Amino acid sequence: MTTILRCFSGSTCSTKRPNIDGASMGKPKNSQPALHKVIMVGSGGVGKSALTLQFMYDEFIEDYEPTKADSYRKKVMLDGEEVQIDILDTAGQEDYAAIRDNYFRSGEGFLCVFSITEHESFSATAEFREQILRVKGDENIPFLLVGNKTDLEDKRQVSVEEAEKKAQQWDIPYAETSAKTRANVDKVFFDLMREIRNRKVAENKLNNGATKLGQYKKKCVVL
């Protein structure tokens, strides 16, 4: 059973989960699937909410009120492992720029979305990335550049080559999606989760190595 939780900014959300014995699933009791926190960023109207809702509910909602901040949670299978994805869909409007820092601090990975039909939204991705790097203090934070609305190819203003060049400059992946046709929607979310997971694995190895080194030093006695 898929558990989906949607929270609106400023509200308290809860959900009752089915009582499943973890041991019967080959997991220790009380163990929870890994949680990967994804933040949606980009200018207003580029389709961040449409992508999120398509991924969550397999539905395309064309007329959607401007977002302040909506949160969604869902259990999915990532390469054979059950995990949870937490998606925070943030506002693209300039009016909310001052509060984005708080949202960005909680993110483990970012989908930076622009519309291929609006070059201004593509240019704005540089500002979003700069703000994220400033808040996180980490240039290697998992980050994907996403060109949305490929179903409107006849209105394209941003070429694939231009977008790929920008992604290469930032040393990040680039993908194009359509929230309307669902093209590559799952791909961008799962690719970002893999980057988040791989980063966590690397950090755990590093931390465990440092802990073992510390234990080894404590056992050494200088005569």
Side-chain angles (χ1 to χ4, degrees), residues 32-200:
Q32 290 293 325
L35 176 62
H36 302 315
K37 299 178 181 179
V38 172
I39 309 291
M40 305 292 290
V41 300
S43 299
V46 298
K48 300 185 300 296
S49 297
L51 285 170
T52 302
L53 295 173
Q54 182 66 270
F55 177 73
M56 292 295 301
Y57 306 115
D58 295 326
E59 292 181 358
F60 175 63
I61 300 177
E62 192 166 4
D63 297 322
Y64 192 80
E65 293 182 4
T67 305
K68 182 177 180 181
D70 290 341
S71 181
Y72 304 81
R73 184 170 294 187
K74 179 180 181 180
K75 286 184 179 180
V76 298
M77 295 300 293
L78 178 64
D79 300 331
E81 176 189 6
E82 185 182 57
V83 301
Q84 294 185 89
I85 179 171
D86 187 282
I87 305 172
L88 181 61
D89 180 18
T90 63
Q93 290 76 11
E94 188 63 29
D95 294 346
Y96 298 110
I99 63 175
R100 288 191 197 121
D101 283 13
N102 291 331
Y103 297 143
F104 291 171
R105 288 189 185 97
S106 67
E108 296 174 327
F110 297 83
L111 285 182
C112 187
V113 185
F114 69 92
S115 169
I116 66 165
T117 68
E118 184 184 351
H119 200 278
E120 185 177 351
S121 69
F122 174 68
S123 300
T125 60
E127 182 178 346
F128 283 103
R129 179 167 171 80
E130 182 179 335
Q131 186 178 5
I132 290 167
L133 297 185
R134 174 179 57 77
V135 171
K136 302 297 289 186
D138 181 3
E139 292 193 0
N140 296 316
I141 193 77
F143 192 102
L144 266 69
L145 183 63
V146 179
N148 191 37
K149 302 189 181 182
T150 56
D151 53 286
L152 300 176
E153 181 66 32
D154 58 325
K155 298 180 180 179
R156 179 186 285 271
Q157 293 184 6
V158 183
S159 68
V160 174
E161 292 76 18
E162 184 179 10
E164 288 181 341
K165 182 178 180 181
K166 177 66 69 176
Q168 289 172 4
Q169 290 175 354
W170 291 344
D171 193 23
I172 61 170
Y174 173 65
E176 293 196 339
T177 59
S178 169
K180 186 173 184 177
T181 67
R182 217 177 193 281
N184 288 333
V185 172
D186 285 350
K187 172 180 170 56
V188 294
F189 283 100
F190 277 90
D191 283 355
L192 184 59
M193 281 193 287
R194 289 185 181 97
E195 289 206 16
I196 295 172
R197 178 194 61 191
N198 293 342
R199 180 184 174 91
K200 288 178 178 178

